[in-house]
Amino acid sequence: MKFRHIFSNLSKYILVNLLVTIIIFFFYLVFTSKSESALSWIFLPTALISTAFMLQFVIFIVLAIIAFILPRKKIVYFIFIVAQSVFVIFCVVDLFIFRLYNFHFNGMVVNMLTTDGFWDSVSLGSGTWLGAFVIIASVLFIQLLLFVLSTKIHIKKSIILKVFVLLLIITTFEKFLYAYADIYNKISVTRYSELYPLYQPLTMKGFASNFININKEKRIDFNKENSRLDYPKEKIEISDNKSNLPNIVLIAIDGWRFDMFNKSVSPNITNFAEKALVFKNHYSGGNASRFGIFSIFYGIHGYYWHSFLNERQSPVFIDTLQKLNYNFRIISSTRLTFPEFRKTAFVKIPEYIEDSLPGKDTIYRDANAVKDFVNWHKNYNSNDPFFSFMFLDAPHAKEFPEEFNKFKSESEDPNYLFINEKNITKLKNAYMNAVLYDDYLISKLLDYLKKSGSLKDTIIIITADHGEEFYEEGNFGHNSAFTEYQLKVPFVMYIPGRGHEEVKYMTSHLDIVPTLMRKLGVKNNIYDYSLGTNMLNKTERNYIVACNWDSCATYDKNYSFVFSFETYKSTFGALYDKNYNLIDNNTIRQKQTKRVLSIAKDFAHFFK
């Protein structure tokens, strides 16, 4: 009987706070662009209600469990009030952060606020502190009043049940509305998926592709009028002298790490590099394909991936090539639907993509990728320059023809359930054999370009999307840690007439776009469209930034500092030494936090 009474009061208190949450979330709409379609006008309020409902429902479940466990009513009610007060304060703080930086409360913010020395470099002023105190005190007082009010009002159980069912219907409708928008590329909806804190969209791309057979690439609406992005910052200005524009061939080998660039594992590329620029201290912008390729084509941090995907935002680099009448050939051994490069890097040029190459595995598909380029180039009769991107996948799959079993390994598929440090050698050898195989295929492409006379006017870049680790620093594969073996990759750039040079200063995938844009005659300040630099000019950079799905890291020769940018992962940053051992050093952490402050500004740079 006692629990039923508490449960009844909790239900009414949750309903009251649901209204409070909806009111707070309404201000997120005030701080964003006006919606531009009927679909977005439907989505925005329903997403607001469903997000508020789901958050309050989670709080309800947690508090109900606490009420069932604890025997004393006054303690339970005190916990109710404190919990809702903390949640409301969180929402208010998140609202202010979002208004200023266009991202939500996350691990990066937690790390900055809790690191010694942060407040030495940030002064909020007495007015800010007084305002914060007033907000906290007001929230506690209002929550006390709301609780007292909710206990005194009488609401029939049937009404509460009907409200719950109605909210469930709204939430279900909103989730399927977003899924529809995602399938049909309705940017007026998908661009708002990060508007509300902790919003969880429903996507059904795989289901739509496999069972409904929807051709999603041809349904994209490029209306950018109400975009949250400010990219590029200024209109791209190109030099009037458009003669002698180079052809560009960019080859990415999936998972090719820095120490596999040698005469033993990749002899042909190593020989070719003797006529090219070799960047010996180069890093990907991510430890996974999605973020590595994104950093190559956009020249900005992988943090922006989600927003650019939601907006179906094309890279300025590709847009510029189109303006200059470049032709395209995009060839991939793996489908470009996942990761969603058809909706990001190549969203405006789907007709130039070949990612359904024949072949039962990457051995055949990688070989056919090279054949596809050669056949395409043989029939190329345009006077306009071309850009070609080739993505080879054999090292990722650890597949190779038997004649390339130089580093003794087994041809059958490995059992990843039992992979560990003691039995990793054969799998690593398979990876090395796969790199050797792709090196051979690339040599055939380079030989063709040489024989056809194309080297005289073609920039060739050979690199990787990310590295691959085999427990050298305690981790396996990629996307698992921000280690040297997962981030550091080879980078070879052949520029006609430039000759050979070994570059030892630190460079990043973020630098590729600025470097090529200069070759295209773009006159803008690099910061208008990229966060990188021209890699042909020596820089004093002493760290890089790399990202994955929900975290980023600063990486230098001594430390990796990992922090999250997602609200659901609002934890303290993790500091690792050069061997990727977790360490606790407040002095180093303080220095890393100052870097994160600068990175936070970069994270807001391309938002309005």
Side-chain angles (χ1 to χ4, degrees):
M1 188 71 182
K2 182 179 177 180
F3 175 72
R4 289 176 62 185
H5 179 68
I6 294 175
F7 186 83
S8 176
N9 287 334
L10 173 60
S11 300
K12 292 182 287 185
Y13 186 44
I14 288 291
L15 281 178
V16 171
N17 270 286
L18 176 60
L19 292 175
V20 173
T21 307
I22 289 173
I23 291 170
I24 295 173
F25 280 14
F26 173 78
F27 287 96
Y28 287 95
L29 294 176
V30 176
F31 297 142
T32 192
S33 302
K34 294 181 180 179
S35 57
E36 67 273 22
S37 72
L39 201 62
S40 59
W41 275 111
I42 297 171
F43 170 76
L44 287 170
T46 54
L48 186 156
I49 293 171
S50 72
T51 306
F53 166 63
M54 292 179 70
L55 292 174
Q56 284 295 333
F57 184 71
V58 170
I59 294 172
F60 171 77
I61 296 297
V62 173
L63 294 181
I65 294 172
I66 292 173
F68 183 77
I69 295 172
L70 294 179
R72 301 186 63 178
K73 184 167 67 173
K74 289 184 178 179
I75 295 177
V76 171
Y77 287 164
F78 174 76
I79 293 174
F80 287 0
I81 295 169
V82 170
Q84 287 289 4
S85 297
V86 170
F87 175 72
V88 170
I89 291 169
F90 162 81
C91 289
V92 172
V93 171
D94 182 83
L95 185 63
F96 279 106
I97 292 172
F98 185 81
R99 184 178 69 86
L100 291 173
Y101 297 108
N102 260 284
F103 56 72
H104 294 287
F105 192 94
N106 54 45
M108 179 176 62
V109 177
V110 171
N111 172 70
M112 290 189 297
L113 295 176
T114 56
T115 301
D116 291 340
F118 169 77
W119 301 107
D120 295 338
S121 56
V122 176
S123 178
L124 298 180
S126 57
T128 303
W129 286 112
L130 179 61
F133 175 78
V134 169
I135 290 173
I136 293 172
S138 299
V139 168
L140 288 168
F141 180 71
I142 292 171
Q143 283 296 323
L144 178 60
L145 289 179
L146 290 176
F147 180 76
V148 172
L149 176 65
S150 64
T151 59
K152 294 187 180 299
I153 59 176
H154 176 69
I155 305 177
K156 292 181 180 180
K157 293 179 182 178
S158 59
I159 295 177
I160 294 177
L161 182 60
K162 289 177 181 177
V163 170
F164 176 79
V165 172
L166 176 62
L167 291 169
L168 204 58
I169 292 171
I170 291 173
T171 300
T172 304
F173 169 78
E174 176 270 314
K175 296 306 174 189
F176 279 98
L177 175 61
Y178 186 90
Y180 163 82
D182 185 57
I183 291 171
Y184 286 94
N185 297 296
K186 302 297 183 181
I187 304 172
S188 61
V189 169
T190 59
R191 66 166 43 122
Y192 295 112
S193 69
E194 295 181 309
L195 179 61
Y196 304 118
L198 293 169
Y199 172 75
Q200 295 298 312
L202 173 68
T203 59
M204 301 172 65
K205 294 185 290 287
F207 176 82
S209 176
N210 296 328
F211 297 101
I212 307 178
N213 195 28
I214 294 176
N215 188 344
K216 297 165 283 186
E217 289 76 30
K218 294 183 178 180
R219 298 177 179 268
I220 298 176
D221 171 17
F222 292 106
N223 176 20
K224 302 298 181 182
E225 183 179 348
N226 292 289
S227 173
R228 292 178 56 227
L229 300 176
D230 188 17
Y231 170 86
K233 303 292 289 186
E234 301 290 342
K235 181 181 177 182
I236 298 300
E237 300 291 339
I238 305 173
S239 171
D240 293 333
N241 183 11
K242 298 177 183 178
S243 60
N244 299 320
L245 288 171
N247 301 314
I248 303 172
V249 175
L250 201 166
I251 305 169
I253 305 173
D254 198 333
W256 185 36
R257 73 187 204 189
F258 72 101
D259 60 338
M260 298 297 157
F261 176 37
N262 56 58
K263 288 187 176 294
S264 178
V265 184
S266 48
N268 295 295
I269 299 175
T270 302
N271 290 335
F272 176 74
E274 293 176 358
K275 302 181 285 289
L277 301 175
V278 179
F279 293 80
K280 306 288 285 186
N281 195 20
H282 187 84
Y283 296 83
S284 174
N287 61 359
S289 297
R290 180 179 274 102
F291 305 96
I293 298 297
F294 181 82
S295 62
I296 286 176
F297 280 93
Y298 289 84
I300 61 179
H301 299 312
Y303 165 80
Y304 283 99
W305 162 266
H306 302 285
S307 296
F308 277 56
L309 171 61
N310 292 336
E311 295 276 0
R312 308 300 193 257
Q313 175 64 60
S314 174
V316 166
F317 173 61
I318 295 294
D319 294 346
T320 303
L321 292 175
Q322 286 185 299
K323 289 179 182 177
L324 292 170
N325 295 319
Y326 269 71
N327 289 298
F328 297 91
R329 190 62 175 173
I330 310 300
I331 312 166
S332 177
S333 182
T334 182
R335 293 296 305 277
L336 298 179
T337 50
F338 191 84
E340 303 89 337
F341 299 128
R342 280 181 173 267
K343 293 184 177 182
T344 49
F346 312 121
V347 67
K348 286 187 177 180
I349 53 173
E351 65 272 26
Y352 299 108
I353 297 174
E354 176 52 78
D355 62 349
S356 298
L357 295 163
K360 63 181 181 179
D361 54 32
T362 57
I363 296 174
Y364 294 97
R365 291 195 295 271
D366 280 11
N368 285 326
V370 173
K371 290 179 182 177
D372 181 274
F373 173 84
V374 172
N375 292 334
W376 173 81
H377 190 270
K378 283 181 178 178
N379 296 313
Y380 188 77
N381 54 16
S382 173
N383 292 324
D384 294 322
F386 67 84
F387 170 84
S388 180
F389 172 67
M390 183 179 297
F391 194 24
L392 303 181
D393 199 45
H396 178 265
K398 319 293 188 297
E399 294 175 342
F400 57 92
E402 185 56 35
E403 60 266 30
F404 287 86
N405 195 3
K406 176 180 179 180
F407 310 97
K408 299 305 178 184
S409 183
E410 299 173 351
S411 57
E412 63 264 21
D413 294 334
N415 187 340
Y416 285 97
L417 292 176
F418 300 100
I419 290 294
N420 57 54
E421 295 179 57
K422 295 181 180 179
N423 61 15
I424 195 67
T425 301
K426 288 184 178 180
L427 185 61
K428 183 177 179 180
N429 286 348
Y431 161 79
M432 294 166 68
N433 289 332
V435 172
L436 182 68
Y437 173 57
D438 273 355
D439 172 81
Y440 162 75
L441 294 177
I442 290 172
S443 73
K444 294 171 70 71
L445 185 149
L446 295 174
D447 287 345
Y448 165 76
L449 289 174
K450 181 179 180 181
K451 291 176 182 178
S452 66
S454 298
L455 288 182
K456 67 179 184 298
D457 56 7
T458 303
I459 293 175
I460 300 174
I461 294 173
I462 309 173
T463 186
D465 52 350
H466 54 77
E468 193 79 4
E469 187 176 351
F470 296 91
Y471 292 108
E472 289 86 357
E473 293 180 320
N475 300 277
F476 171 66
H478 56 276
N479 201 31
S480 57
F482 292 96
T483 63
E484 180 180 38
Y485 290 98
Q486 295 190 40
L487 294 178
K488 193 173 183 180
V489 296
F491 193 88
V492 177
M493 178 184 279
Y494 171 82
I495 302 176
R498 178 80 186 223
H500 174 70
E501 182 183 348
E502 289 192 357
V503 177
K504 296 183 179 180
Y505 52 82
M506 182 177 269
T507 54
S508 162
H509 275 357
L510 273 68
D511 303 328
I512 299 173
V513 165
T515 306
L516 293 177
M517 292 285 265
R518 286 291 183 257
K519 292 293 182 182
L520 298 176
V522 172
K523 298 185 290 185
N524 291 63
N525 185 313
I526 289 174
Y527 209 43
D528 284 347
Y529 57 86
S530 173
L531 297 172
T533 63
N534 186 341
M535 61 199 306
L536 300 180
N537 299 330
K538 184 176 181 180
T539 66
E540 300 301 322
R541 176 190 283 142
N542 56 11
Y543 72 93
I544 59 98
V545 177
C547 297
N548 63 20
W549 191 261
D550 59 6
S551 300
C552 289
T554 60
Y555 179 91
D556 60 36
K557 63 181 180 180
N558 295 315
Y559 303 101
S560 292
F561 185 67
V562 183
F563 56 93
S564 175
F565 52 79
E566 292 291 350
T567 306
Y568 63 79
K569 201 174 180 182
S570 297
T571 56
F572 300 98
L575 181 64
Y576 298 87
D577 64 16
K578 61 182 179 180
N579 297 315
Y580 216 71
N581 297 311
L582 193 63
I583 60 174
D584 186 14
N585 186 311
N586 286 334
T587 302
I588 301 300
R589 181 181 287 273
Q590 184 175 340
K591 292 180 180 178
Q592 297 290 339
T593 300
K594 291 181 179 179
R595 288 180 177 176
V596 173
L597 276 171
S598 174
I599 294 167
K601 295 177 182 178
D602 288 342
F603 282 1
H605 183 65
F606 289 112
F607 286 111
K608 292 178 180 176

